[in-house]
Each structure stands twice: as structure tokens, then as C-alpha cells.
């Protein structure tokens, strides 16, 4: 039996190849996602080879420092062989553009002094020996575009910039960047001075690293250290390494979880292609199965032949796809993180997961076809032809219609922008349910739409166009599952594009509503270090910076804003939100929140984004408590303003904020009697500083939009894979249709259709399928996107921003898709010999 | 050159394969099919009668020899030219699967005209539709027609371009006797009423009896011919042939 199946597969190379491609792409996506996340973490972990000779470390949290006396006390402890002090201070590397280079390390810990403790592994040049020499972290330098031998600047504490020469590059071996409480312990420094110069930049030490005496327990040593030095924390090197490993495993898992859904979608589309192919295969072999039944095969046996066929195909596709994914994953990573020395990790788990997913998907997708094969009556062997498959199943349509209506009802019921989180989720689920409904209804839509189109063009077009259209509409179920893959792909792209476009215009419109065009915005400069690496904590300006700006004669108002994560206790419960302490004086001049309700008067309480207030169930005049860094602030809601969920959502009076918060400024809004002059003065005063960025409303909008578009770009690239899978589906269906209709095409040739005409017939069929699938996908996508922006951005359901460029590209893409998918099947059809019409059995 | 011949072959030879396994389907066939006449080709299975039809109709290529339809030498035409020639100057009726299932009867009938981008002459189409007697079934799909009706639609399609020759390959092979009689009567009528040249392959002596003359093939050669055949006279010849073979 197995031999017969294998021979059967060999004889249909084409359909096998196309189906394999679809299976393999799905497996490939799974494996590639896995490899990308594993490799990212492996790359990060590559530098974390454990350091010899350090058994424990002690530090004082919150930027506190240790003294030489502390070091001596630690060294004198029982069980300690030696104690080495380590400095850490502000030493921000300035890139060729004059701005600070982005870093994963907090700015105040970017610098340290060179030592031979094994912390540094020199990869190029030499160690720094003079005050004007530095060594830099290799990856940081590569990303900033700074080479050994070049001159650059380093931003030191107090805004002083040191002119230095890069003499070496190193890789850093950390003890572990964080402790178990997430406090910074040994982050990777970017800039290393010689030991003596380093000591001049900081009054004490960030950390003391201890070597245990032989036989001493590092855990005991670290416990003792905490009691010897008051207020210090300590941990053994083993503990720190464990925390670090745990963190990396978490990061890998998180990254994997964010990538795997895309792989899942690719698989889902693969299901359409695979199930459609198998259905065609079974139809083609109806007589073959009937014969098997006639000679005594039971239903289950016939069914098993198809399942085994799927297993074989799934297994081969799994192997191919896993191999492809193992190659593609690293390739993707190389593109995403250029210039980095990457470590690639292809785990057996990844290969196994991808392979298993492929096999399970294939067998599941083929099972429907297997059941159909099993239900072939023995009598079918005697009947003429393969028989046109019957019409569309009513049950399927009924279910589709019910799902569609239920989904739409759920969406409409929860479409008010002020709905709570739970009903937003119901709305999203409603969108998903109606999408499934639409997919179930596709056969009906296909028949109606293509029927309508061929009715319209009945007299206007030549016979090739008419035949192509009719062929496309001929078997609505086959057309529907071919079209389904295209529809899903385009719907995903358009849904995300709609969400993205709405988000972008929302960012623009709310920033426009709240920030006057004339206002100058001063922010701390922060470089992003790539999407896959979590950024360090937000850099901040200091209150002295604000004072400097406010002192400028051209500046009328310099409104500082300090953000903090606060606990908000409200009647409905307690939640955490970013809040912003601002100077009430600036409200109305430098910052003009677009008030929807109440007043922008911080004396009366806080002003809050309307979307947030809706979620928390708060209205103007309601009481709430802000818990900020240990201080509780009883207040009321003074007013509601228009905002996105991206910007800080609660403004309160800086006078009520804890002192430390007011010292950390996230942005300054500046204006003056002559806004132009104010901006010029600010530019003049701080524009050259590497840690400060001067911008305005439009630049703010542009940056925020760019930042969110980047995320969506990655998504769309992943959906490209889905559409590729869909192409295979279309090609597959067309080739099989052409084979099936060999006699018909031969007849067409016999009565005088040229090869060119036959070519056109197939091309029109392909175009009809693709364009219809595409249009359905676009409509579905924009609809789902509208629900997404309604549920996720709290906007009205009826006013999404329609992503016209994306839709235009998608529409053009489906036309191209149709033409490309037809090339090969049309070639096959055009080569049909007219004699086939007559001589075929 | 006899001018009354619509179709003429000289030295027509068709072989399949090469070397020792080579099969000769037709050997050196010289034949003529008279204009405005209904000619039947008969012979036992494997005698090469269908191959002869395919070759003279420009559906299959020759190994050697020539085929003229009217004054046109088919052997000199490439695929596109041959296609256009078939479309404009020949008509076909096959045993089964004659019609495109997605087109209605009317659309099937005018398909060759549309492929040629010629506007169907409504009167002529109506005349042919009348002759085949399907006026009330024109908007039906082939799957809604009986086998006999389908073959009559195929005949109408073959006649609609006003071809020089209509080739029919076992047109009644899949029909019951009543439907067969209708189809054969239609072909007979087209020769009588429109002066249509018809060449038909059949293995059924009673079908051949509708023709003006019968050409007998055996083992790839023309072995006999008969004018004014009846079912009995054709049957006698066939029996004689079979006896001669044994």
C-alpha cells in the first residue's frame, strides 16, 4: 500500500512540489522565528562568559557609592581573600553626529576604569593609558560608527565634554547586569578610561568585587557583606549569573512568543493551500478510490491512504522547511542587526516544533479530503468522468452567516469608545468571528461576484475573457479555498495598515491639538539601539538644565515635565499609569491640552486623557489618589483632554510631586513673547549639547509616527510570507484545473483557439480569482482594522484612517499576483494538443 | 488534379515511435473526398481510420506525404496558421465531450466565430439552429441537454462558420439509436441542402449507410470503396475484409 502511495506521489510532481512549498514555508516560519529569538539571546549571552576570580559583589543601590573604607571593611571580613573596587560614572559616548550614542546601560554607569581583573577582553588596539585615551565597547562603537584610532567626545558629569582618542575596543564580561530585584549591578560600560583618570571622574566606587578565601561560602560572604557595610546590597557571583540567565531565558521566550503568531498565520494560510490540493487530488482519483472500494477496501482503509499520503508529504515538507528555516533565521537576523558579531543558535527544539507543526497541519488539512475519499461509492468506478463536484454546502453557508452576524453584532455592541477593557476584547473577538464567517461564506461571495462580473462583461469581452471568468466561477468551493489564502494574507496586511494609519493620524492630531506649533520642545537625546534590544531606562534632563533655559531672556515660559509610573487609586480599583508632573504656569501657553471637559486648572486637581478616564471610569470632579514614589496625593479630576495612549495621560502640579521627581525632567516645553526668538535662543544655549535635543511639534509628530511605523513594518514583512504561500495555492489550483480540463482545452484548440487565446483564458481565470480574493481581503482587512483601532485606540468605529497607499499597493499586488501565478499553468494549458480532446480515454 | 475533390491526400504516412517498436498507423494513403458529398470512413479497430481523419483535419502531424484541403497544402502550415485554418475553414464533431461546459448552447455554437472575432450573422445562425431543431434549448448549459441534443449543438457549431469540410469522428458512438438517427440525418441534410462536404469516421454500418460513399481502411491502407452504400452492403464488405485478414 505504501509503495502505491509513494508511486502516486512521484507521478504528480507538480502538485507535490506546490503543496510541499506551502508546507515547507509554514515550517520554515516556525523554525526561523525560533532561531531568531534563540540566536538573539545567544548573541547577547555570548559576552556573558563568567568571570574568574570573583565570587561575590557588594554595591549600594540607587546610584549610591561605596568608599575606600567600605572596601577595606569588606576585605577584612572573614572568608574574603581580596576586595577590588570598581568605578562607574557618567561617560556618554558622543557619535559622529554630535549626539549621544544609544546604549543599553544607564547614562550614569556608562564609564569605568580599566583594570586587569578579567572584566575586559581587548579585541582591538590597546588599553587606555592617558587621561585623553579611552577604550570603547566593540558593539557600541560599531553601531555608532566609531573606529579605533579616531577622536571623539565623551559627555561627563556636569555637562563637561572630554575630547578623547579611541585607542582600543573590548568585549565586556559582566557578573550580571541586574540583581534579583532588578537593580543595576554590573551593566556593560561603553567607555573605559585608565584607572587613575576614572577615579577622578567619581568620588567613590560603584561596586566592590570580592574573591572568597578558599573554603569560604560565597553565599555566606555576601550575607556578611550586607551587614558589614550599612545600606549595601550583595550577592554571590553564582546568584547574579543565575538571575542573568533567567532574564535571558525570559527575553528569549518573550521574543519567541511575539514572533510565533506570524508563523502560526503562515501555517493557517498553508492549511488553505494544503486542504485545497488534497481535495483536488481526491476528486481526480475518484475512480481510483472507487476501484479500491470495489475490490474490497473498507472506508477506513481508503481514508488511511490519503492520511498516509499527507503524512509523507508533511514529513518531507517538515524536513525541507526546517532546513530552510534554520538557514533563513540567521539570514533575517543578519539583516536586522547589521555589523554585529552574531551567535546563531539552532536548537533541536526549534526544528522539532517546526517539523511537528508542519506534519500536524498537513494531516489536519488533508483530513477532510481523506473523509471524502473514504465516502466514494464503489459504483463511482463505473461512471463517466470525475464528475463535477456538487454545489456549495448549505450548512457551511448557514454557519458562516451566523458567525458573520454574531461577530458584527458583538462589534457594534461594543463599539462605543468608552467601553471597558473586557468589552473591547469582546469587540476584537467579534471581528475575528466575523472574519471566519466571511471565509466560510467565500464560496457564495465568489459565485455571486464572479457571476455578476461575467454577466456584466457578457457582451463586451471576447470569448477568452468570458471563458476565464466562467471557469473561475465554476467550482465555488475550489475557488473559495484558493481565494481564501489570498484573502487572509491581504486582510492581515490591510487590518494592520488600517490600525497603523489610524494610529499615525491620531498621534499627529492629538499632538497638534495639545502642543502649539510655536512651542519649542527640549528633550534628552536618546538613541535607540535596535528593536530587538530592550532600551536602558529613559534618559533625563536635570532641573539645572531647565533653569538655564528659563533664564534666557527670550524665553517666557519653560515648562518642565517629569514622568513617573504612579499608582492610581480610583473608586473602581487601583491601577498603574504614567503620570506627568508639570508647572501649571505653562498650561495654556507652552502646552495647550485640547480640553474636552472641565478645565486645565491644576489647582483644582489633575487633568487626564479622556481615553484613560473612560477606562478608569472617572469623570470631572471624581476623587482619586496618586501614589508616586512613596508619596500619596489626594486629588480630583479637574478636566479631560484629547490624547493617544502613547503620551503621558495624567498631568498634575509639580508642586505636589516628590522632590526627586521634579529633578528628573523628561521634556521642557518652551515658548516666549516671540516664539521664533525663543527657539533661536534655546538652540543657541543647548542645541550643541550631545545629551539634549531641541525640536518642535512637527518633529515630535514625525518621530513618534516613525517609531510606531517601524513596528508595523516588521509585521507587514512577515505577512509577505503569507502572501507567498497564497501564490503557491493559486498556482496549484490552476495547474490542477488545467490538467483536469485537458479535453476541454483541447476542444477549444480544435475549434480554432490559438495558444495565445488559451493563455488568456487561464490568465483571466487567475486574475479573477486573485483580484476577487484581494478585494475581499482588503474589505475584510479594513473592516477588522476599523474594529482594532476602535478597540485598541479607543476611536470611533466609523472613522478609521484608510491606508490608501497600502491598499493601492495591495490591489496592484494582487493583479501582479494573478498574472504571475498564471504564467506556468497558462503555459501548460497552451501546450495542450487539440487531439487530447478526442483521444483522451 | 481533380477539381471536385474537397480533400485530397498523397502518400500520407503516419508512424508512431522509432526503431523496432515503430508502429505504422497509415501507409502511403492516396485518397480523395468529393466536394458537397457525405463520405464515411470505415474499417476494423486499429485500421487507422481515426488517425486518417485527424491527419486530414490538421489535428495531427504527418510523417510523410501531403494533405490538401481545397487548394491549401496543410503540411506547409505552422501551428498558428493551422489553428486559424481549422477555425475558419473546417468544422468538427467528436464522439463525446464536444462542448465547453461553462458556455450555453448558443455560446458554444458561435464560439468559432467569436474566436475569429467575426460577428455572427443572426439569420444564418437562426437557419442552422432551425436545422438542428434546438431553438428552445439555446440558453441551456450542456449539462442540461441530453447526449443527442449535445451532439446536435456540436453539429451546429461545426456548420456555423460555413466550413469547406465538416469532420465527424464517431459522432454517434455514445448515442442511442434515435439520437443517432437525428444526428446522422442532420449531417445528411447539410450535404443535401447546403452542399456541405462531410467526412465521417464510424464503425457502425447503419451510420455509414447515410453517406454518399464509403472508404474502407485496413491496416493503415485504403483497401476498398463503395458508392451509394446501404447498411447491408457495407456489412458485407466489412465481413469480407475480416475474412481476408484471417
Amino acid at each position: 500500500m505504501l509503495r502505491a502511495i509513494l508511486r502516486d506521489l512521484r507521478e504528480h510532481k507538480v502538485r507535490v512540489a506546490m503543496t510541499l512549498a506551502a508546507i515547507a514555508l509554514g515550517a520554515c516560519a516556525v523554525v526561523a522565528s525560533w532561531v531568531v529569538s534563540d540566536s538573539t539571546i545567544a548573541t547577547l549571552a555570548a559576552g556573558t562568559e563568567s568571570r574568574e576570580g570573583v565570587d561575590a559583589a557588594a554595591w549600594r543601590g540607587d546610584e549610591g557609592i561605596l568608599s575606600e573604607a567600605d572596601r577595606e571593611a569588606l576585605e577584612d571580613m572573614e572568608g574574603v581573600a581580596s576586595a577590588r573596587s570598581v568605578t562607574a560614572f557618567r561617560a556618554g559616548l558622543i557619535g559622529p553626529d554630535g549626539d549621544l550614542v544609544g546604549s543599553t546601560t544607564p547614562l550614569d554607569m556608562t564609564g569605568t576604569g580599566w583594570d586587569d581583573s578579567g572584566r575586559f577582553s581587548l579585541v582591538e588596539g590597546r588599553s587606555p593609558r592617558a587621561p585623553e585615551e579611552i577604550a570603547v565597547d566593540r558593539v557600541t562603537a560599531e553601531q555608532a560608527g566609531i573606529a579605533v584610532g579616531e577622536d571623539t567626545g565623551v559627555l561627563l558629569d556636569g555637562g563637561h565634554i572630554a575630547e578623547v582618542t579611541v585607542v582600543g575596543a573590548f568585549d565586556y564580561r559582566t557578573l550580571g547586569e541586574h540583581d534579583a530585584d532588578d537593580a543595576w549591578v554590573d551593566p556593560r560600560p561603553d567607555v573605559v578610561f585608565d584607572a587613575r583618570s576614572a577615579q577622578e571622574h567619581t568620588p567613590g566606587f560603584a561596586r566592590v568585587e570580592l574573591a572568597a578565601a578558599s573554603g569560604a561560602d560565597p553565599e555566606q560572604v555576601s550575607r556578611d557583606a550586607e551587614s558589614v557595610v550599612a545600606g549595601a546590597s550583595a550577592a554571590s557571583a553564582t546568584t547574579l549569573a543565575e538571575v542573568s540567565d533567567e532574564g535571558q531565558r525570559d527575553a528569549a521566550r518573550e521574543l519567541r512568543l511575539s514572533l510565533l503568531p506570524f508563523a502560526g498565520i503562515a501555517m493557517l494560510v498553508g492549511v488553505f493551500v494544503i486542504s485545497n490540493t488534497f481535495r483536488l487530488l481526491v476528486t481526480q482519483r475518484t475512480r481510483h478510490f472507487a476501484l479500491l472500494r470495489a475490490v474490497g477496501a473498507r472506508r477506513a482503509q481508503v481514508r488511511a491512504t490519503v492520511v498516509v499520503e499527507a503524512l509523507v508529504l508533511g514529513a518531507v515538507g517538515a524536513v525541507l522547511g526546517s532546513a530552510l528555516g534554520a538557514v533563513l533565521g540567521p539570514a533575517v537576523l543578519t539583516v536586522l542587526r547589521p555589523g554585529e558579531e552574531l551567535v546563531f543558535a539552532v536548537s533541536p527544539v526549534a526544528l522539532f516544533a517546526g517539523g511537528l507543526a508542519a506534519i500536524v497541519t498537513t494531516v489536519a488539512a488533508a483530513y477532510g479530503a481523506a473523509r471524502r475519499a473514504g465516502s466514494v461509492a464503489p459504483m463511482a468506478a463505473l461512471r463517466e468522468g470525475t464528475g463535477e463536484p456538487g454545489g456549495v454546502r448549505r450548512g457551511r453557508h448557514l454557519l458562516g452567516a451566523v458567525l458573520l452576524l454574531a461577530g458584527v453584532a458583538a462589534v457594534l455592541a461594543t463599539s462605543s469608545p468608552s467601553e471597558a477593557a473586557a468589552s473591547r476584547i469582546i469587540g476584537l473577538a467579534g471581528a475575528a468571528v466575523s472574519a471566519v464567517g466571511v471565509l466560510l461564506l467565500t464560496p457564495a461571495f465568489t459565485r455571486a461576484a464572479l457571476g455578476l462580473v461575467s454577466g456584466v462583461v457578457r457582451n463586451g469581452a471576447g470569448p477568452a475573457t468570458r471563458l476565464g471568468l466562467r471557469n473561475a466561477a465554476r467550482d465555488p468551493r475550489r475557488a473559495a479555498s484558493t481565494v481564501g489564502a489570498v484573502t487572509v494574507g491581504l486582510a492581515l496586511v490591510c487590518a494592520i495598515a488600517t490600525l497603523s494609519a489610524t494610529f499615525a493620524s491620531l498621534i499627529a492630531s492629538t499632538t497638534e491639538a495639545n502642543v502649539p506649533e510655536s512651542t519649542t520642545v527640549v528633550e534628552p537625546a536618546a538613541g535607540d539601539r535596535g528593536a530587538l534590544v530592550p532600551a536602558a531606562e529613559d534618559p533625563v534632563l536635570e532641573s539645572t538644565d531647565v533653569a538655564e533655559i528659563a533664564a534666557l531672556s527670550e524665553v517666557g515660559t519653560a515648562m518642565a515635565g517629569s514622568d513617573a509610573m504612579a499608582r492610581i487609586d480610583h473608586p473602581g480599583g487601583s491601577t498603574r499609569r504614567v503620570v506627568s508632573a508639570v508647572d501649571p504656569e505653562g498650561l495654556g501657553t507652552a502646552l495647550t491640552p485640547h480640553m474636552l471637559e472641565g478645565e486645565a486648572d491644576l489647582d483644582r486637581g489633575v487633568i487626564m486623557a479622556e481615553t484613560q478616564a473612560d477606562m478608569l471610569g472617572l469623570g470631572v470632579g471624581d476623587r482619586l489618589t496618586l501614589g508616586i514614589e512613596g508619596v500619596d496625593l489626594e486629588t480630583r479630576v479637574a478636566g479631560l483632554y484629547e490624547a493617544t495612549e502613547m503620551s503621558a495621560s495624567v498631568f498634575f502640579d509639580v508642586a505636589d510631586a516628590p522632590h526627586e521627581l521634579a529633578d528628573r525632567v523628561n521634556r521642557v516645553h518652551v515658548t516666549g513673547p516671540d516664539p521664533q526668538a525663543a527657539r533661536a535662543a534655546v538652540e543657541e544655549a543647548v542645541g550643541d549639547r550631545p545629551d539634549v535635543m531641541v525640536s518642535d511639534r512637527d518633529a515630535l509628530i514625525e518621530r513618534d509616527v516613525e517609531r510606531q511605523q517601524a513596528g508595523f513594518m516588521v509585521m507587514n514583512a512577515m505577512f509577505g510570507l503569507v502572501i507567498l504561500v497564497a501564490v503557491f495555492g493559486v498556482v496549484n489550483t490552476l495547474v490542477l484545473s488545467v490538467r483536469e480540463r485537458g479535453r476541454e482545452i483541447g476542444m477549444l484548440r480544435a475549434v480554432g483557439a490559438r495558444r495565445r487565446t488559451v493563455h488568456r483564458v487561464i490568465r483571466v481565470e487567475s486574475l479573477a480569482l486573485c483580484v476577487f480574493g484581494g478585494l475581499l481581503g482588503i474589505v475584510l482587512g479594513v473592516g477588522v482594522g476599523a474594529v482594532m483601532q476602535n478597540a485598541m485606540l479607543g476611536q470611533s468605529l466609523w472613522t478609521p484612517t484608510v491606508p490608501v497607499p497600502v491598499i493601492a499597493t495591495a490591489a496592484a499586488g494582487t493583479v501582479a499576483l494573478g498574472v504571475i501565478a498564471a504564467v506556468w499553468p497558462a503555459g501548460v494549458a497552451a501546450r495542450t494538443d487539440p487531439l487530447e480532446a478526442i483521444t483522451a480515454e | 488534379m481533380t477539381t471536385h475533390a474537397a480533400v485530397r491526400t498523397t502518400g500520407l504516412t503516419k508512424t508512431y515511435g522509432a526503431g523496432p517498436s515503430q508502429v505504422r498507423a497509415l501507409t502511403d494513403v492516396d485518397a480523395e473526398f468529393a466536394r458537397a458529398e457525405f463520405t464515411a470512413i470505415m474499417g476494423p479497430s486499429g485500421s487507422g481510420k481515426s488517425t486518417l481523419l485527424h491527419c486530414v483535419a490538421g489535428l495531427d502531424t504527418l510523417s510523410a506525404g501531403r494533405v490538401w484541403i481545397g487548394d491549401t497544402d496543410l503540411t506547409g502550415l505552422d501551428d498558428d496558421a493551422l489553428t486559424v485554418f481549422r477555425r475558419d475553414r473546417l468544422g468538427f464533431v467528436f464522439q463525446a465531450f464536444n462542448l465547453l461546459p461553462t458556455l450555453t448552447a448558443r455560446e458554444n455554437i458561435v464560439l468559432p466565430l467569436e474566436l475569429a472575432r467575426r460577428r455572427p450573422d443572426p439569420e444564418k445562425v437562426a437557419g442552422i439552429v432551425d436545422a438542428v431543431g434546438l431553438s428552445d434549448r439555446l440558453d441551456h448549459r450542456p449539462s442540461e441537454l441530453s447526449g443527442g441534443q449535445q451532439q446536435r449543438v456540436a453539429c451546429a457549431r461545426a456548420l456555423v462558420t460555413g466550413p469547406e469540410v465538416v469532420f465527424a469522428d464517431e459522432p454517434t458512438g455514445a448515442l442511442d439509436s434515435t439520437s443517432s438517427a437525428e444526428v446522422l440525418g442532420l449531417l445528411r441534410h447539410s450535404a443535401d441542402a447546403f452542399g456541405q462536404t462531410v467526412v465521417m469516421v464510424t464503425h457502425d454500418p447503419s451510420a455509414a449507410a447515410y453517406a454518399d460513399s464509403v472508404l474502407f481502411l485496413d491496416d493503415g491502407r485504403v483497401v476498398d470503396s463503395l458508392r451509394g452504400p446501404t447498411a447491408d452492403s457495407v456489412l458485407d464488405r466489412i465481413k469480407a475484409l475480416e475474412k481476408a485478414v484471417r
Side-chain angles (χ1 to χ4, degrees), chain B residues 115-130:
Chain B
L115 285 170
R117 301 214 166 270
R118 270 155 59 190
R119 187 166 291 281
D121 173 357
E123 257 179 58
K124 189 169 179 198
V125 173
I128 288 168
V129 166
D130 259 358

Side-chain angles (χ1 to χ4, degrees), chain A residues 191-544:
Chain A
V191 172
V192 182
F193 286 88
D194 68 289
R196 188 200 302 204
S197 310
Q199 201 57 74
E200 283 168 11
H201 293 305
T202 168
F205 310 119
R207 183 169 75 248
V208 173
E209 297 177 357
L210 305 171
S214 62
D217 174 18
E219 299 296 340
Q220 187 58 46
V221 167
S222 68
R223 274 196 294 278
D224 292 346
E226 290 192 342
S227 55
V228 166
V229 179
S233 310
S236 68
T238 321
T239 307
L240 289 174
E242 274 168 11
V243 169
S244 168
D245 287 352
E246 182 59 33
Q248 277 163 4
R249 273 196 298 275
D250 282 351
R253 202 174 306 129
E254 218 163 274
L255 187 58
R256 191 153 54 228
L257 283 180
S258 62
L259 289 176
L260 281 178
F262 296 108
I265 288 164
M267 282 259 155
L268 178 74
V269 173
V271 168
F272 280 92
V273 177
I274 298 163
S275 66
N276 197 25
T277 311
F278 271 92
R279 188 155 72 228
L280 293 177
L281 299 184
V282 167
T283 314
Q284 273 183 335
R285 284 183 289 168
T286 303
R287 292 172 89 168
H288 168 93
F289 292 128
L291 211 58
L292 278 178
R293 298 270 285 124
V295 298
R298 279 175 294 121
R299 269 165 196 264
Q301 283 173 319
V302 171
R303 204 155 53 220
T305 64
V306 178
V307 171
V308 169
E309 190 171 327
L311 266 176
V312 171
L313 270 180
V316 176
V319 171
L320 287 178
S322 298
L324 190 64
V327 176
L328 201 66
V332 167
L333 205 56
T334 311
V335 172
L336 282 180
R337 307 186 69 178
E340 266 189 72
E341 205 156 289
L342 297 164
V343 178
F344 297 122
V346 182
S347 71
V349 181
L351 298 176
F352 181 76
L356 189 69
I359 294 173
V360 169
T361 310
T362 310
V363 172
Y367 192 71
R371 276 190 39 193
R372 254 170 79 123
S375 64
V376 169
M379 272 306 290
L382 310 173
R383 276 185 222 125
E384 248 312 294
T386 51
E388 284 280 299
V392 180
R393 264 186 263 160
R394 183 168 293 167
R396 171 184 169 142
H397 278 169
L398 201 63
L399 182 63
V402 167
L403 289 182
L404 179 59
L405 289 177
V408 168
V411 167
L412 291 179
T414 59
S415 71
S416 159
S418 59
E419 287 289 339
S423 54
R424 288 174 178 225
I425 290 169
I426 293 175
L428 285 177
V433 166
S434 26
V436 172
V438 168
L439 287 176
L440 287 174
L441 284 170
T442 317
F445 290 151
T446 316
R447 191 166 48 184
L450 293 177
L452 191 72
V453 172
S454 45
V456 168
V457 302
R458 165 167 283 217
N459 298 317
T465 307
R466 187 192 310 156
L467 276 171
L469 285 174
R470 296 238 181 119
N471 282 340
R474 194 154 158 180
D475 181 348
R477 273 171 67 194
R478 177 188 296 188
S481 44
T482 309
V483 151
V486 180
T487 303
V488 169
L490 277 169
L492 287 169
V493 171
C494 287
I496 295 300
T498 302
L499 180 64
S500 159
T502 307
F503 200 11
S505 58
L506 199 56
I507 290 169
S509 71
T510 52
T511 307
E512 272 167 17
N514 296 323
V515 183
E517 196 185 357
S518 57
T519 294
T520 303
V521 182
V522 182
E523 288 175 301
D528 276 331
R529 204 167 163 179
L532 295 179
V533 184
E537 46 215 47
D538 288 338
V540 292
L541 298 171
E542 282 162 32
S543 47
T544 51

Side-chain angles (χ1 to χ4, degrees), chain A residues 681-830:
Chain A
V682 171
E683 283 276 5
E684 172 76 29
V686 296
D688 286 343
R689 278 180 46 183
D691 56 338
V692 173
M693 204 165 63
V694 179
S695 62
D696 58 9
R697 184 182 82 181
D698 291 346
L700 221 57
I701 293 173
E702 198 179 314
R703 190 196 56 203
D704 286 350
V705 168
E706 242 171 49
R707 195 177 291 167
Q708 67 93 12
Q709 302 286 28
F712 289 122
M713 276 299 290
V714 175
M715 283 194 176
N716 272 343
M718 298 290 280
F719 294 146
L721 185 69
V722 171
I723 294 176
L724 191 62
V725 174
V727 177
F728 284 111
V730 175
V731 174
N732 214 1
T733 308
L734 286 176
V735 168
L736 290 167
S737 300
V738 165
R739 296 266 149 99
E740 266 180 14
R741 293 188 215 134
R743 302 185 75 174
E744 213 178 300
I745 295 166
M747 169 61 53
L748 196 60
R749 294 271 291 129
V751 300
R754 296 198 220 182
R755 288 177 198 273
R756 195 164 350 131
T757 314
V758 175
H759 230 283
R760 266 217 24 228
V761 172
I762 306 298
R763 196 164 54 230
V764 169
E765 179 173 356
S766 172
L767 274 171
L769 288 174
C770 287
V771 169
F772 172 69
L775 288 180
L776 193 62
I778 288 169
V779 171
L780 190 61
V782 172
V784 171
V787 177
M788 281 165 84
Q789 56 94 30
N790 170 244
M792 292 159 79
L793 303 177
Q795 299 300 299
S796 159
L797 181 60
W798 308 109
T799 55
T801 306
V802 177
V804 176
V806 175
I807 289 178
T809 313
T814 48
V815 172
L817 191 82
V819 172
I820 292 168
V823 168
W824 183 42
V828 172

